[in-house]
Amino acid sequence: MINTQLVRLGLPTILLALLSLPAAAQSFRVQCPTDTITHPSAIRNNNTEPNYVGATTLVAGSKGYLAPTANVNGAIKCQQISGGDGYATMGDGTQTYLFSFGPLSGITDIASGLPGTEFPSVFNTMGPALSPGDPATSDGVVANSWTGFPIDTTGLNYNGAVGLALDIPNIVSIYDISESGTTVTVIGNAPLGVAVGDQVTIAGADTTGYNGTFAVTGINVPNTLFPANYAFTYTNPTTALAQVTTSSSATAAIAARLDGHVDPRPIMDVGVMNGNIPAPLMAIDEDDEFFLTLTNVGMIMRPDLFEQHTVHFHGYPNASAFYDGVPDASVAINIGASFTYYYLAPDAGTYFWHCHITPPEHLQMGMVGQLYVRPRQNRVAAGSDLYAALSNQQGDLRTACKSATDILCSNPLPVLPVGATATVPRAAAGNYAYNDGDGSTYYDVEYPLQIHGFDPNFHFVGMTFNPEGFSDMKDKYFLLNGRSYPDTVTPGPLATQSTDGSMHFSQPLPSIINIPAGKKALLRISDLDVSEYQTLASLGIPMKVIGYNAKLLRDQAGNNLYYTTNSITLAGGESLDVILDATGYTTGQVFYLYTPNLDHLSNDAENFGGLMTEVHIT
């Protein structure tokens, strides 16, 4: 029967009343486990990278899948990013509107030009009170003032997940509690929301023998009273306790804890209008599990757009399309929601990532960034033979490279000199770009270089609610790490005032290349351009190209196909790994890395700007 009082109130009044109700749940979440099937914390600490001595020992478990039992490789890494909008400042002073990703974890590291990827012990840390514009605000960057370069980024030292907060405690009344041996089964009158290992407190006037705080040993326990998720078990050293089926005071409770719950206020304070160009840098190691949370905070300058966002790792071999970020075969994240992508780090190399919603638009508007995977060879103990280490990797079925039977094998063992059984030992310092087995991709310092270009007219139209002319798209600003010359050689982050009145670190990654005399630098170069081919030339120091599209340049027989050149050309979506060798050079020398395409050496036909940076021998 229809309630006549509701009819008298009228539909508009009812809708207003519904809108005024408090939200029963919030959509923002993060995820960074400390223990997984692939990386069980009982075997090793997932907050460090172990030395690589051989493939992980896997044994078929009771549920049919392979589980590690010893020698677990890799660790767990996590990162949180926002999807929204922002502004960046070009070399000619122009402020440009962006659709963009921004950092919501590792914010101090990113402001320092580092990847924002963190171990769980760092990510799962609650931070201080944050303000709009942070970390720039806490670093003392104020609009209409000048602090000089480099900007001091020591004012805020926080790399955890922005907004991470203790979840509220939970308590339920106990409907039934009983014991079999030392195993206690608790049936509540509602789900308590526990996981195995959580600490639960039993209390009640008539449950004396059961009372105390215990670790949960089982969840989703079948019973004849309520759904399975209402019940859980724990171990109690006190035995022969009587079943309690009626109690007016017995409760089961869990304390406030970190479980991925976030406070939306700091998420919005820090994430809104906080876009970076390029998008936050990511870096993981082979064998890592990577949990990447994307939180869509909306685009403040375009409130008419209910724009979804995704993360697509370009050229990256995902095991499941569900986490590939292509919305047709995956999921897209709505405004006000979060989604955690899961990856198992594959082959080493340089990749890039972008939003896959209307890719020509979102890439052009700035939703692109770089990702690189560091090789296992970096974790080989100093002094160990690299050839033997690469041979050990053939025991890992996921990454084994047997060129005799696998034509897709991209990282075979190198050719040994006649009569040799080993190559070179792992260096005591420095790292390697790939699992080369012969030390040929060694470097001392590394620099990510992300090429990007954009059409200022397209960006202006994108901000002013007008139809965008895709067929007329013509890049006129050309950038290295989101900057054009001379900003490319400015140390530290660049800050831009946004529409919220705060300064934001819009372009945190400089492009100046500093190589100690006699040492080697690895340049991780990726082209994130939408409409142009890009060329970079090196004056004075030849470039040795060792990898292309995250693949070591080596043939099936194990011969290195590296080549030395003074210029490289890339299309959008391609990457190269290049070594600059400063052997024979002296401290104080300066060289240029620039584009010979002269129309790409400008800011929209103005002087300066474009694809150029400096190489300093230090």
Side-chain angles (χ1 to χ4, degrees):
M1 179 179 294
I2 297 175
N3 188 311
T4 55
Q5 185 177 3
L6 293 180
V7 173
R8 287 197 300 271
L9 282 173
L11 182 60
T13 306
I14 297 170
L15 291 177
L16 287 173
L18 290 174
L19 289 173
S20 67
L21 292 175
Q26 47 106 108
S27 300
F28 293 156
R29 302 280 297 181
V30 295
Q31 185 176 359
C32 186
T34 58
D35 177 86
T36 66
I37 294 172
T38 306
H39 289 93
S41 59
I43 298 179
R44 68 166 310 275
N45 179 7
N46 286 313
N47 294 304
T48 61
E49 288 287 346
N51 283 346
Y52 185 85
V53 296
T56 299
T57 303
L58 299 171
V59 176
S62 59
K63 297 184 178 180
Y65 52 77
L66 294 175
T69 57
N71 194 35
V72 179
N73 288 301
I76 295 174
K77 305 278 178 59
C78 304
Q79 193 162 347
Q80 182 184 200
I81 56 174
S82 65
D85 53 358
Y87 285 93
T89 302
M90 297 298 104
D92 61 357
T94 301
Q95 284 195 345
T96 300
Y97 176 66
L98 308 169
F99 295 177
S100 48
F101 294 108
L104 284 176
S105 69
I107 57 177
T108 296
D109 281 348
I110 287 175
S112 302
L114 302 172
T117 315
E118 309 291 348
F119 288 110
S121 58
V122 176
F123 186 91
N124 293 327
T125 304
M126 294 189 297
L130 299 173
S131 303
D134 267 337
T137 301
S138 294
D139 288 336
V141 184
V142 181
N144 303 314
S145 66
W146 175 248
T147 60
F149 289 117
I151 296 174
D152 184 3
T153 59
T154 61
L156 178 66
N157 183 21
Y158 177 60
N159 287 309
V162 171
L164 187 66
L166 292 172
D167 204 348
I168 59 173
N170 196 10
I171 186 170
V172 299
S173 295
I174 294 176
Y175 188 86
D176 185 281
I177 186 168
S178 60
E179 186 179 52
S180 176
T182 59
T183 300
V184 175
T185 301
V186 180
I187 304 174
N189 67 343
L192 183 57
V194 292
V196 173
D198 284 351
Q199 296 291 310
V200 61
T201 298
I202 307 297
D206 43 15
T207 53
T208 305
Y210 293 101
N211 291 347
T213 300
F214 307 92
V216 174
T217 57
I219 59 175
N220 298 324
V221 180
N223 61 90
T224 59
L225 301 173
F226 288 111
N229 64 333
Y230 284 43
F232 62 89
T233 62
Y234 67 86
T235 300
N236 189 346
T238 304
T239 59
L241 296 174
Q243 182 177 10
V244 177
T245 58
T246 303
S247 174
S248 60
S249 61
T251 60
I254 51 175
R257 66 201 191 283
L258 292 176
D259 61 359
H261 170 82
V262 296
D263 180 354
R265 176 59 189 264
I267 291 280
M268 299 304 288
D269 279 349
V270 175
V272 167
M273 297 302 299
N274 196 38
N276 284 180
I277 181 168
L281 184 63
M282 302 176 187
I284 52 180
D285 295 83
E286 274 190 282
D287 302 306
D288 282 352
E289 288 182 280
F290 183 32
F291 294 82
L292 172 65
T293 298
L294 168 61
T295 294
N296 189 340
V297 299
M299 294 191 289
I300 302 303
M301 296 302 295
R302 288 300 304 270
D304 60 313
L305 294 180
F306 297 92
E307 207 83 337
Q308 298 172 316
H309 296 303
T310 69
V311 171
H312 171 68
F313 283 8
H314 189 89
Y316 187 100
N318 277 327
S320 170
F322 187 71
Y323 295 111
D324 196 44
V326 179
D328 312 76
S330 177
V331 293
I333 294 80
N334 292 315
I335 295 174
S338 299
F339 181 78
T340 299
Y341 293 86
Y342 170 81
Y343 309 95
L344 186 61
D347 300 334
T350 302
Y351 304 83
F352 85 95
W353 62 278
H354 61 86
C355 179
H356 218 292
I357 300 291
T358 323
E361 177 190 32
H362 284 206
L363 269 70
Q364 166 66 227
M365 293 296 289
M367 303 195 85
V368 289
Q370 194 183 68
L371 160 79
Y372 55 87
V373 180
R374 294 174 286 238
R376 292 174 178 143
Q377 187 165 295
N378 286 348
R379 308 197 304 271
V380 173
S384 300
D385 179 62
L386 295 180
Y387 187 88
L390 185 55
S391 298
N392 287 339
Q393 292 193 37
Q394 306 309 311
D396 190 320
L397 297 179
R398 185 172 64 85
T399 58
C401 183
K402 300 175 181 177
S403 55
T405 56
D406 182 5
I407 62 171
L408 298 179
C409 168
S410 62
N411 203 158
L413 289 164
V415 174
L416 285 173
V418 176
T421 58
T423 53
V424 297
R426 167 59 164 108
N431 284 307
Y432 303 88
Y434 289 92
N435 297 304
D436 52 56
D438 58 7
S440 57
T441 66
Y442 173 87
Y443 65 90
D444 298 282
V445 292
E446 67 179 336
Y447 293 94
L449 289 178
Q450 306 176 49
I451 303 172
H452 190 229
F454 71 83
D455 179 352
N457 298 322
F458 194 95
H459 282 243
F460 179 77
V461 167
M463 185 181 64
T464 54
F465 302 83
N466 291 301
E468 296 161 328
F470 287 90
S471 61
D472 297 327
M473 190 186 297
K474 173 67 175 175
D475 289 349
K476 297 178 182 178
Y477 284 82
F478 301 94
L479 314 174
L480 286 172
N481 291 341
R483 311 181 188 189
S484 52
Y485 190 80
D487 288 344
T488 51
V489 297
T490 299
L494 297 184
T496 300
Q497 185 177 8
S498 192
T499 49
D500 60 1
S502 301
M503 298 292 286
H504 296 257
F505 287 149
S506 54
Q507 297 131 287
L509 197 60
S511 304
I512 188 169
I513 299 165
N514 295 310
I515 312 176
K519 304 294 185 179
K520 296 180 180 181
L522 170 66
L523 307 186
R524 297 183 179 274
I525 305 173
S526 55
D527 185 1
L528 314 180
D529 207 295
V530 176
S531 63
E532 301 275 350
Y533 283 84
Q534 303 288 3
T535 298
L536 282 179
S538 174
L539 281 181
I541 303 183
M543 297 185 284
K544 182 168 77 171
V545 181
I546 59 170
Y548 173 66
N549 288 343
K551 301 297 181 185
L552 179 69
L553 288 178
R554 178 174 289 172
D555 66 17
Q556 298 287 296
N559 299 296
N560 293 333
L561 302 179
Y562 312 152
Y563 62 94
T564 301
T565 180
N566 284 321
S567 70
I568 50 99
T569 298
L570 299 94
E574 293 185 317
S575 68
L576 286 173
D577 297 292
V578 171
I579 297 285
L580 298 183
D581 189 348
T583 300
Y585 295 85
T586 58
T587 300
Q589 288 184 289
V590 178
F591 303 94
Y592 289 91
L593 186 68
Y594 75 104
T595 178
N597 298 348
L598 299 184
D599 60 330
H600 292 187
L601 279 174
S602 67
N603 287 302
D604 196 10
E606 296 292 332
N607 290 330
F608 305 108
L611 298 177
M612 185 162 68
T613 189
E614 297 173 5
V615 180
H616 291 198
I617 308 301
T618 60

